[in-house]
Amino acid sequence: MNSLFRTSSAVLVRAFPLILSGLVPQLTSLVVLTISHAAGTPSVTALLGLTSSLTGLAFVATVGVSICTVRDLVRARKQSAAASGDPEAARVALSKALQSNWRLANSFAVSSLLLSAVFILIYSRSIPEEHSWIVWSYFLSQSLSLLVTPYFAVMNGAYQFVDRSRENLFSSVAVGLCSVGAAALCFQLSGSPSTALMAFGLSQSFISVAVLLIRLTRLSRKFRVVPWDLRFDFSAGRIVERLAGAIDGAVFMTVFLLVQMIATSISVQTGAEIALAVGVARMVVVPLKQVGLTYGRMRISGLVPSDDGKAASLGVLAVSTWAIVVPICLVIVAVGLLGRPVAGSWALSLLIVAQFLVEPFAGVLYGALKMTAGPKAGLVGLFVSYGLVASAGLVFLRQMAGDAVQFWALLLAVRVLFALLTTRAWVRFRPAVEPVAVR
């Protein structure tokens, strides 16, 4: 028992900074949604929830860009040191490595913007025609904030490489605070929902571009590197390599996005309730994956006690995760008792609490499995749960014009199935022959 708590504490200490960095964007999204909902504009809340999922999907899809940027910079530094040891040669090599990833970021930026436009087109055709222009105007006004997401991933990797991870956190906090301030001004002071949305979208674009330029300038001046490149790189192998590290998160965010699109097409009120629920769930579930990844790193690095078998590791992940989510669940219940349940629904609040309690064996365990057994481990369970069961359930609920509680009951059932299949894969997996690359 003592070993269990010691290992769980060690996991939490290592994972907490990463969880905090991932929490800030999710918290920002939730606060903005709450501000718009408090302003009494459910249509605005529903649209903000949809675009938040689009932005979250773009962020998740570019996680691999950040990972590969760090790897390429490390490789460039080692190769230049082995070749000559000349500081100027090292600087040139680092600049070339950054530019190589910047060219890929250019490709990711254009692709994500085009795919987002396709989603918006599909969504705009599912709502009354008189509202579709508002959807497009908001999408276009905030498109720059979506466009720069891959470049933030390159910057995050570069700052991790130079051991300045706290600057990444400061960047997230700066964007978050400015976005919340802009939301408060736009939604509380503007009388027209369309005007408020356009003003907030333009604010998002300005904030994102300004912070990116500041980070670029600081990196260039302090380390004398030139990170940008105007060319594109659509190499299939390099793109797939960067996407491979984020497939589960991308699937999860895509399902959230589809749920919001379908719910909003049924009813604006249902879409607003789902948007708020998704904001709460995304704020917790996405950063929690770092617990599993951290435990996986410790396991392949020999930091976990040698007598820690697979059953004991499930206990470590459960204790580590529940230490975070149980207080959150208690807060949700307490807020509900005070008359403010999530999205105004006690049933929805309890379903979200149940999903959080399942997470040690779902997203967290999947992260540990991927780190320990390799990137292909657990894909069958992911496909069966979200590719088959979730898709069939969403089609059924669309035909039945389901409400927010029914949609979340489906998401919970799918998450439980995913947890069972992931646990089965964990029990049966064979460790990779070569250590999995630490991500």
Side-chain angles (χ1 to χ4, degrees), residues 138 141-143 145 186 196-206:
Y138 175 60
S141 66
Q142 62 90 49
S143 58
S145 65
C186 294
L197 274 172
M198 289 187 64
F200 181 61
L202 290 172
S203 300
Q204 286 180 291
S205 293
F206 175 78

Side-chain angles (χ1 to χ4, degrees), residues 414-430:
V414 171
R415 202 62 174 170
V416 170
L417 175 61
F418 177 59
L420 292 173
L421 293 175
T422 303
T423 302
R424 180 175 179 270
W426 176 260
V427 172
R428 295 188 174 191
F429 89 84
R430 293 183 179 180

Side-chain angles (χ1 to χ4, degrees), residues 95-170:
S95 291
K96 288 182 177 179
L98 277 173
Q99 291 165 5
S100 174
N101 282 276
W102 197 270
R103 291 193 292 271
L104 281 163
N106 291 337
S107 304
F108 269 87
V110 172
S111 300
S112 63
L113 195 62
L114 290 175
L115 289 174
S116 298
V118 171
F119 273 115
I120 293 297
L121 177 62
I122 296 172
Y123 172 67
S124 64
R125 289 179 178 272
S126 68
I127 61 176
E129 187 176 350
E130 60 268 20
H131 296 315
S132 62
W133 74 271
I134 300 178
V135 173
W136 279 105
S137 62
Y138 175 60
F139 172 70
L140 293 174
S141 66
Q142 62 90 49
S143 58
L144 280 179
S145 65
L146 184 65
L147 192 68
V148 300
T149 302
Y151 306 117
F152 271 98
V154 175
M155 287 292 96
N156 287 342
Y159 277 100
Q160 286 178 35
F161 169 74
V162 296
D163 198 24
R164 296 293 181 89
S165 294
R166 278 186 291 184
E167 296 212 17
N168 291 335
L169 178 58
F170 293 155

Side-chain angles (χ1 to χ4, degrees), residues 51-67:
T51 52
S52 294
S53 286
L54 275 174
T55 305
L57 180 58
F59 173 78
V60 168
T62 57
V63 167
V65 174
S66 181
I67 293 168

